Amino acid sequence: MGTQTKMLTWLGWVISGLIGLLMAFSATMKLLNPPEVAEQFVGKFGYPADLILAIAIVEIACVVIYLVPQTAVLGAVMLTGYLGGAVATHVRVEDNFVPAVVLGVFVWLGVYLRDPRLRALLPLRRSLAAPDPR
């Protein structure tokens, strides 16, 4: 297994914390449901108004699971699915979907940097040493 430096851990937590803050802000805006958010949610994206609470709860649950170290990988998978839905929504209305894609990349970067087990499972490069013939 690779080495885990304090710098990697802190960088991973900073990225993960920023992701958590952005997603929590998004969920909070859905919970508060100001007219601008409702107009965009219903008018622009075409979702029923009664789904906004459920989507906010799902978003909060994904973030909480992502920020707990023992369930971070599951949370990253769930946030990837959530953001995939955001990408599909933006593509459907011919809106800019790049921010949701970039956010998804940073979700995985954050957990990748803070969890050495994930880096061992998905190394960026492999050793060129010959395999053990046993």
Side-chain angles (χ1 to χ4, degrees):
M1 194 177 296
T3 61
Q4 177 72 5
T5 66
K6 285 186 180 187
M7 184 185 74
L8 286 178
T9 302
W10 276 102
L11 184 57
W13 275 110
V14 167
I15 292 169
S16 296
L18 290 174
I19 297 296
L21 285 173
L22 286 170
M23 300 297 289
F25 177 75
S26 171
T28 301
M29 292 308 293
K30 289 177 183 74
L31 289 173
L32 295 175
N33 200 14
E36 304 83 28
V37 172
E39 159 57 29
Q40 187 173 28
F41 191 78
V42 175
K44 183 176 181 180
F45 297 139
Y47 286 108
D50 59 342
L51 283 183
I52 198 163
L53 176 62
I55 290 176
I57 291 169
V58 167
E59 190 171 3
I60 290 168
C62 290
V63 169
V64 168
I65 292 169
Y66 175 69
L67 292 176
V68 173
Q70 294 83 353
T71 58
V73 174
L74 175 61
V77 170
M78 293 171 67
L79 280 174
T80 303
Y82 180 87
L83 291 168
V87 168
T89 297
H90 285 280
V91 167
R92 186 177 57 79
V93 298
E94 298 177 356
D95 197 13
N96 182 12
F97 62 89
V98 174
V101 172
V102 171
L103 196 60
V105 170
F106 276 96
V107 163
W108 280 101
L109 180 62
V111 76
Y112 185 83
L113 291 175
R114 66 184 169 132
D115 191 342
R117 296 171 301 164
L118 187 57
R119 285 198 315 281
L121 182 64
L122 302 168
L124 291 179
R125 59 184 174 165
R126 297 194 187 272
S127 172
L128 296 178
D132 190 9
R134 289 187 252 175

